[in-house]
Amino acid sequence: MKLLLTLAERIDGLNTRFGVIASWAIVLSCVISCVNAFLRFGLSISSNAWLEIQWYLFACAVMLGASLVLRLNEHVRVDIFYGMLSARGKVYVDLFGLIFFLLPVMGLMVYLSFPLFVEKYVSGEMSANVGGLIRWPAVLTLPLGFAMVFLQGLSEIVKRVGWLLHVYEMNLVYERPLQ
């Protein structure tokens, strides 16, 4: 179990690094959006590449940030009954969802999106827009993001089993955000 917990810790660290990349992608996207708006409306200079790089950065933020959201336990959930469960009950519900829903869906999404990435990479497909960018970097975020969520799901399973075996401590308190 100790080896699995070490592996889970490394997956957590890797996804934290991807989360930093996702955070910077948001910042860069905002900066590019402001500069692009100034150039377009202030100086009448325009480029489709600037618009597309914003989309690529947004794809990066969403796909690479999803695994960190799972690690931080901030993902969307239906909390009608979950909040009434004991800590042990929450762990069992989490394990059920991770094993029977998250892992199969993320595995399927990696399986389906990877050939799409390879196709875009091999063909060197470009955007149809004038001044557009190559497509494969944006498409790469799909299998990479799904794979990272899959790995984080494995990490979460290991940590929850470790908690059930009393060899790992984790905070099981989930506070609903204020609406």
Side-chain angles (χ1 to χ4, degrees):
M1 189 71 197
K2 189 172 184 166
L3 180 63
L4 290 174
L5 286 169
T6 301
L7 178 63
E9 192 175 288
R10 297 220 174 146
I11 292 170
D12 290 354
L14 180 62
N15 279 319
T16 298
R17 287 187 204 95
F18 275 115
V20 170
I21 293 169
S23 297
W24 278 106
I26 291 291
V27 171
L28 284 172
S29 182
C30 290
V31 169
I32 290 170
S33 178
C34 290
V35 170
N36 191 33
F38 173 75
L39 291 174
R40 184 175 293 244
F41 298 112
L43 303 176
S44 296
I45 300 172
S46 179
S47 169
N48 286 328
W50 288 110
L51 292 173
E52 289 186 14
I53 196 69
Q54 290 174 64
W55 301 336
Y56 287 22
L57 288 168
F58 185 71
C60 182
V62 170
M63 295 308 297
L64 300 183
S67 56
L68 182 62
V69 171
L70 179 60
R71 186 181 78 73
L72 296 175
N73 200 23
E74 293 293 330
H75 53 286
V76 176
R77 64 176 60 168
V78 179
D79 195 26
I80 296 170
F81 300 109
Y82 188 84
M84 294 186 288
L85 296 174
S86 67
R88 191 171 205 71
K90 289 177 183 178
V91 167
Y92 282 120
V93 168
D94 288 346
L95 283 171
F96 180 79
L98 290 164
I99 293 168
F100 293 105
F101 294 106
L102 184 101
L103 292 184
V105 170
M106 290 301 107
L108 177 64
M109 296 307 290
V110 170
Y111 175 78
L112 294 174
S113 63
F114 189 74
L116 178 65
F117 158 69
V118 171
E119 176 189 323
K120 303 294 182 201
Y121 181 78
V122 169
S123 71
E125 182 179 325
M126 301 285 293
S127 169
N129 295 322
V130 175
L133 303 175
I134 55 175
R135 294 275 170 109
W136 71 262
V139 178
L140 173 61
T141 64
L142 294 170
L144 183 58
F146 292 135
M148 296 316 298
V149 172
F150 184 91
L151 287 175
Q152 190 60 47
L154 290 175
S155 172
E156 296 304 315
I157 290 169
V158 167
K159 291 186 286 188
R160 280 161 178 74
V161 169
W163 185 86
L164 288 171
L165 296 174
H166 305 289
V167 295
Y168 182 79
E169 277 300 315
M170 60 187 293
N171 183 4
L172 297 169
V173 177
Y174 173 73
E175 295 181 24
R176 290 180 295 216
L178 297 174
Q179 299 295 325

